[in-house]
Each structure stands twice: as structure tokens, then as C-alpha cells.
Amino acid sequence: MPLNRRKFLGTSAATGVGVAVTGAAVAPSTASASVAHGSGKPARRTRRYSFTVLGTTDLHGNVFNWDYFTDKEFDDKDHNDVGLAKISTLVNRVRKEKGRRNTLLIDAGDTIQGTQLSYYYAKVDPITARRGPVHPMAQAMNAIGYDAAALGNHEFNYGIPVLRKFEEQCDFPLLGANALDAKTQRPAFPPYFMKRLRTPHGRDVKVAVLGLTNPGIAIWDKANVQGKMTFPGLEEQAAKWVPRLRSMGADVVVVSAHSGSSGTSSYGDQLPYVENAAGLVAEQVPGIDAILVGHAHTEIPEYFVENKKTGKKVVLSEPLKWGQRLTLFDFDLVWSKGRWTVEKVGAKVLNSNTVEEDRKVTRLLADEHKKVVAYVNQVIGTSTAAMSTAEGPVKDVAIIDLINLVQRETVAEALKGGAYAALPVLSQASCFSRTAQIPAGEVTIRDAAGLYPFENTLEARLLTGAQVKEYLEFSARYYVRTPAGGPVDPAKLTNADGIPDYNYDAVSGLTYEIDIAKPVGSRIVNVRFEGRELDPKAEFVLAVNNYRASGGGNFPHIAKAKQLWANSEEIRNTIIGWVKAKGTVDPGQFASVDWKLTRDGMPVF
């Protein structure tokens, strides 16, 4: 009797049992024979089999090679392309070369958030509505033929109901061995996927894919998961499940991990788990052959980690992000002592900018694409001047002031008439994109949304002046220490120690200088509020996004600060609503230079 996938997935979510699928085609292999020494008889033939696991990660809602924020074909300085339509072409080529039945296609998470295409079908025309649409990412991934996908942290951004509906629409399982039901502590999603690959030797190869997600979900999406799910560490759960998979007869174990390889964390001591733990999993847990890495948005074609207990080399690969790369894990197996053994495994990545989009995918979702393009091009107001984030990482620019203005006004209005109404409101904002801009003249939804590509919501937290200064000091780690007197290259001033742009906050509502000639921890000088030196004991309200308020970036004090107010509306929509209400955006009414970079007291710019 055929397996009913949807019924089985419902059972597996409760029992923690993975999915089993049987392949049905003869695979390419080699069989060598030699003459036994002195006998003249051929020696036993060596049975061999090869197959390939293909992997993507951090697709973030990209189907088309299109930038909805610029309303044109995607391009960057490295001329990368994006989207599942490109990935589909690469996958088809590999399947044609290897034989489709000798390949598996998996993903390492962060699938349903990131573009206006994915936003539209979560919020504007939601998949959760009665008789709602099928999510474009589900449609595309089903058409391409994914076998399994790990859960990413951004899968939880729109709430569990949206995620569950997406899961229902997928023809493949969403895996999360360390996404546990808060009450039962049993897997809330299938932990693994198992597939048999048929070989020409009458001995199937059993391939297990273990899915692991990021513990940071407990912080970053606390509002959506608290009391519903828990997310223990990757190493702990891998150590639990890998031996089980081996005992179930898995000849090959692949881990799909939404976790970078660096061993670092952005949430400090708020969780006892490591955020970027893929390398630690390879190092600490025996029995793993390969790990598809995600979350970090970096390109790792092939990276070997030695397991401390066995000495075995485990291969890791991360195919960048957004469908810009496709990982290939090539496995060579040999039949020995009654079982298949991995003789060799290597990895490489293919670049999606080398191929055309698969017309099957673009035709399938042409209507959805047109709807979203029309949506983002709706005019919502006008601007008296052009504004850009190009210099936002090194200068106080008007476009970041606009974000802070909207946030401060929103929080002040929300607190009006309450116990904290008299406190001054400060605001934090990051330069999420160095290419966002508001043009002079008509302003569209995509212009406003481009300032805030994430689905963050707004909160108000209570801080003292001393805590605000420490917050600023932590943020200022972002700058490379640069001695006074010498030339300055703006391109080399930022992202010290790999700190991303979204983990540098500019704070509005007071004035200050960042002396980049000084060491980290003593860079914030001349901090003033309303022209007077900042009082360390004074109380302030900080308008802050929920990612930061929940501990994202590990900024000091904020996660434990008293919450005065919180909103469920995305900041992006708050900005859009503000522009609609005002009708006209005039930087002359709100832009000011409240912070600047200095060296020994002298301005850098």
C-alpha cells in the first residue's frame, strides 16, 4: 500500500519518525575484477556505487532573478544571480549527467522570508486564508523536486500557522530534529528523511538526511514560539539522532544544518547553545559523512573537519544564499564486509549566474510575480529630495533619520497618557542595505519597504543614560580602529571582526561622537541630550526592533530591559503607513547630523 505522505508527516511530527522513500532505478556504478595471484581465476568483483546530494540554503523567497526593491533584474558587484528558476536549470543539468535516481536535492532553511514575493503571500494575500493561494516557494520547490528541507530561523517570522500551512503545501518534509514541542519535548517536525537508492548490485544504499535548525529562534522569534516550541543545541540533538539513523541501517548520513560553521554566537550567554555550530557538530558527533551548512550567508565550496572521536574527515559546504550557488556532494561508495561504506566524498559549488532561468518555473509563477510587481509599485506619497543609504554605515544620513523619526513618533504616540509618557524617546536603526533609496518625486511601496527588508516589529524598552552609552559603545565595535593623521578609506572603516551592517545601530534623540582612533570600549565621547551632558541616571525610552530587543546581536542591557510597549505591525508597514498619512516626505524637516566619526576629536569627514 503506498505511503500517504501528508498523513505520515502528521504522525511523524508527534512520534519523531522520519520519512522513508524508495528509489526505483538502476544507478551508475563500477565493478572491477582482477586475477587472483597464482590461481588464474578472477578475484571477487568490487562493487561500487556513486551518487550526488545537491543542496541549497537561505533562499529567502527568491524564485526569479529579480530585485523587487529596485524593480529590475537582480545584480550585485560580483554579478551574482538569484532564485530557484536558476537553481532548477543547474539541478536539471546535474540530474541529466548523474541520472535523476542517483541524486537527492535538499535545502538548509530560511525559505519563506526575504523578498516582497514571500511577504505578499504571508501578509497581503496570505496562504493561511480560506481557499488561500499556494506559497510560491512551495510551488517552485515542488516543481523542481526537492527531497527535504531543514527549517531555518526565518521560517518562524510569520508565526507557526503560516509555517504549518507552508509545510502542508510542500511535497517534501520540513526537518527539525531540535525543534521540539514545548510540552512533550518531542520533535514538532520530522527529524530526518530516509531514502533508498537502488544500485545495480541488488544492494540498496540507504541515505539519511538529518535536519537541524537554529537555537536562536527562541530569542529572535520569542513572540511566536514561547510556550509552544523549544530549540536545544545542534550538537546535542545530532548526538542523539545520528546513532539512531545508523542503527536503522543508514549507509550514509547527511546533516542539513541551518547553522554556520564558525562556532560563534550573536546572542552571547542568553542561550547555552552555539548559533553557528555546524563545524562543532562535525567535530563532536561521529557517524556524519557530510553537512550542508546554512544561516551564515557565506560561500564554502568544500571544507573538511576532523571528528575528534574517530579521526574521520567530514565534508562541509555552504552554497552562499538566495540561490546564488548550488552545492554538490559527490559520494563514492564501496561494498565491503556486507555493507556499503563511503570511500570518498567531496564537495563543490556551481554558480547560478552561468545558466538561464528554467522557463518551467518562471511560467509556473508568472502570475504571482506580476501581482507582486504591481503591489510594490503602488505610489504612496512624494519626496522633496532624493535620499540614499550609500553612506549610511559611516555617516548620519537622512534616510536612516527617517526610520528613527517614524519609530520615535510611533512609540511616543503609543505611550501618550501613560506612566512613561513624559520620558524622552530615543530610537535605534541599522543600515540594512547600502543600496536603498527614496527618490525625489513619487515614492512607492517598494521604495519605503526597501529601507526595511526584514519583518521586524517595534518595541519600547526602558534604559538609563549609562546603559544607553554602553549600548553605543558596543555598537561602535563595528568600526576598524584607525589612527589619527593618516588617510581614510571609507570602504575599510566598517565591519570590524566580521560584524555585519545590521548589527551596527545608530541612535537618534541625542548627539555623540565615535572616536575610531580609540580602542573598543572607549570610543563614545561627547554624548549629549538636549545640549547637556548625558545624565547616567536619567531614564529614556528606546524605540527598538524586536530582533534587537530579544537579544539579536547581543547588545547589552536591552534584552533584560523593561518592556513598556510592543507592536505586532512590521516596522516596514509602519513606515509605509507614515508616508501615506503624511503624503509628502521632506528631509529638511527631520534630517540632522546627530552622530559623527572622529579621530582624536577631529571629524573623519
Side-chain angles (χ1 to χ4, degrees):
M1 187 174 178
L3 181 69
N4 185 309
R5 189 196 71 85
R6 299 195 190 283
K7 182 177 179 182
F8 184 73
L9 279 185
T11 304
S12 70
T15 63
V17 178
V19 180
V21 176
T22 302
V26 173
S29 66
T30 60
S32 59
S34 60
V35 176
H37 181 68
S39 69
K41 298 180 181 180
R44 179 175 295 178
R45 294 167 65 85
T46 302
R47 299 170 180 172
R48 298 185 184 278
Y49 174 70
S50 299
F51 72 97
T52 299
V53 175
L54 301 90
T56 55
T57 192
D58 295 275
L59 293 168
H60 283 288
N62 285 282
V63 174
F64 299 86
N65 186 42
W66 192 260
D67 187 339
Y68 292 96
F69 293 133
T70 61
D71 198 26
K72 61 184 180 182
E73 189 172 281
F74 178 89
D75 194 24
D76 62 14
K77 62 181 178 63
D78 297 316
H79 301 297
N80 287 303
D81 287 347
V82 300
L84 278 169
K86 292 266 184 173
I87 289 295
S88 183
T89 302
L90 291 174
V91 168
N92 289 338
R93 289 188 177 184
V94 175
R95 284 172 173 166
K96 184 176 181 180
E97 176 190 349
K98 309 282 186 180
R100 176 160 185 158
R101 301 291 183 171
N102 310 309
T103 64
L104 280 79
L105 175 59
I106 64 176
D107 184 80
D110 275 6
T111 304
I112 60 171
Q113 176 278 336
T115 64
Q116 287 292 285
L117 180 70
S118 54
Y119 176 81
Y120 186 89
Y121 288 97
K123 291 290 189 177
V124 181
D125 186 11
I127 61 174
T128 49
R130 187 182 179 190
R131 297 179 182 176
V134 177
H135 199 289
M137 295 302 287
Q139 290 191 60
M141 295 174 82
N142 290 342
I144 296 169
Y146 273 77
D147 291 289
L151 293 163
N153 54 284
H154 283 289
E155 260 65 83
F156 294 85
N157 286 173
Y158 297 117
I160 292 174
V162 170
L163 174 54
R164 286 300 190 192
K165 188 63 177 180
F166 174 71
E167 179 188 29
E168 179 186 317
Q169 294 176 342
C170 291
D171 292 338
F172 52 90
L174 302 182
L175 308 178
N178 61 328
L180 309 182
D181 181 274
K183 293 181 180 179
T184 66
Q185 289 299 292
R186 301 181 73 177
F189 295 85
Y192 65 89
F193 164 84
M194 189 89 76
K195 185 169 184 176
R196 289 179 179 270
L197 300 178
R198 186 164 295 174
T199 77
H201 307 299
R203 305 283 186 175
D204 293 347
V205 171
K206 291 181 72 174
V207 182
V209 179
L210 179 68
L212 297 169
T213 192
N214 206 287
I217 296 166
I219 291 177
W220 305 321
D221 268 302
K222 182 178 179 180
N224 290 328
V225 301
Q226 189 173 33
K228 299 173 183 176
M229 294 184 191
T230 61
F231 302 88
L234 284 83
E235 309 99 304
E236 168 193 323
Q237 294 301 302
K240 173 182 177 180
W241 283 100
V242 171
R244 290 190 187 184
L245 297 175
R246 290 293 184 181
S247 69
M248 292 165 60
D251 301 298
V252 178
V253 174
V254 178
V255 173
S256 183
H258 193 75
S259 181
S261 63
S262 64
T264 60
S265 288
S266 69
Y267 38 70
D269 60 359
Q270 295 176 74
L271 289 176
Y273 315 116
V274 176
E275 177 183 350
N276 296 301
L280 296 175
V281 171
E283 187 180 81
Q284 298 176 15
V285 181
I288 298 170
D289 296 296
I291 300 179
L292 177 65
V293 179
H295 184 62
H297 290 203
T298 58
E299 182 177 349
I300 305 174
E302 181 183 62
Y303 174 55
F304 288 95
V305 174
E306 183 176 303
N307 185 270
K308 286 187 173 181
K309 296 181 180 178
T310 65
K312 177 184 173 181
K313 295 288 180 63
V314 182
V315 64
L316 282 67
S317 180
E318 183 175 5
L320 200 53
K321 63 183 186 298
W322 304 347
Q324 293 175 350
R325 304 288 185 273
L326 175 70
T327 280
L328 273 64
F329 292 108
D330 290 314
F331 288 86
D332 294 328
L333 277 62
V334 62
W335 182 262
S336 176
K337 299 179 181 179
R339 58 168 295 180
W340 287 107
T341 303
V342 175
E343 186 177 54
K344 180 183 177 184
V345 58
K348 63 182 179 181
V349 296
L350 303 181
N351 194 326
S352 65
N353 71 5
T354 62
V355 296
E356 297 298 315
E357 291 183 318
D358 184 347
R359 291 184 62 192
K360 180 181 77 171
V361 176
T362 56
R363 284 197 300 263
L364 177 68
L365 291 163
D367 288 344
E368 287 84 348
H369 177 65
K370 289 177 182 177
K371 284 182 182 179
V372 175
V373 169
Y375 164 74
V376 300
N377 280 293
Q378 293 178 47
V379 175
I380 55 174
T382 60
S383 178
T384 61
M387 295 179 283
S388 168
T389 57
E391 294 184 309
V394 294
K395 294 182 181 179
D396 186 348
V397 294
I399 201 166
I400 302 298
D401 290 342
L402 174 61
I403 297 173
N404 276 322
L405 172 67
V406 173
Q407 293 183 163
R408 290 177 69 190
E409 287 189 356
T410 301
V411 167
E413 181 64 27
L415 297 180
K416 189 177 294 183
Y420 300 95
L423 292 182
V425 179
L426 311 179
S427 176
Q428 63 79 222
S430 302
C431 181
F432 293 123
S433 166
R434 300 192 184 199
T435 59
Q437 54 187 335
I438 298 289
E442 292 185 340
V443 178
T444 64
I445 284 178
R446 66 179 172 83
D447 295 325
L451 301 183
Y452 227 103
F454 298 106
E455 277 70 42
N456 294 340
T457 56
L458 189 60
E459 295 190 16
R461 296 285 178 121
L462 184 65
L463 294 178
T464 66
Q467 290 174 328
V468 170
K469 187 172 185 295
E470 289 182 37
Y471 188 102
L472 292 171
E473 284 286 8
F474 185 86
S475 185
R477 302 175 310 132
Y478 170 75
Y479 293 105
V480 176
R481 188 175 184 181
T482 308
V488 172
D489 181 356
K492 296 179 180 179
L493 283 181
T494 63
N495 307 103
D497 297 322
I499 297 171
D501 291 348
Y502 64 77
N503 271 341
Y504 168 67
D505 287 358
V507 174
S508 171
L510 39 72
T511 61
Y512 59 97
E513 297 173 9
I514 305 172
D515 194 327
I516 58 175
K518 297 183 182 297
V520 168
S522 59
R523 292 178 168 180
I524 302 300
V525 295
N526 295 331
V527 189
R528 296 183 177 275
F529 173 69
E530 294 184 340
R532 297 186 295 273
E533 186 175 342
L534 181 68
D535 180 356
K537 295 180 180 180
E539 289 187 321
F540 295 88
V541 178
L542 181 65
V544 59
N545 69 56
N546 68 302
Y547 172 80
R548 188 71 78 235
S550 296
N554 200 31
F555 277 61
H557 306 300
I558 193 68
K560 296 179 180 179
K562 183 175 182 177
Q563 184 189 77
L564 307 181
W565 172 83
N567 189 12
S568 61
E569 180 81 355
E570 289 102 345
I571 294 170
R572 170 165 58 203
N573 280 347
T574 303
I575 295 171
I576 291 170
W578 187 93
V579 175
K580 282 183 176 179
K582 296 290 184 182
T584 300
V585 179
D586 182 1
Q589 294 182 356
F590 60 80
S592 61
V593 178
D594 296 328
W595 65 270
K596 59 186 176 183
L597 300 182
T598 62
R599 292 185 296 175
D600 290 348
M602 297 298 294
V604 173
F605 301 108

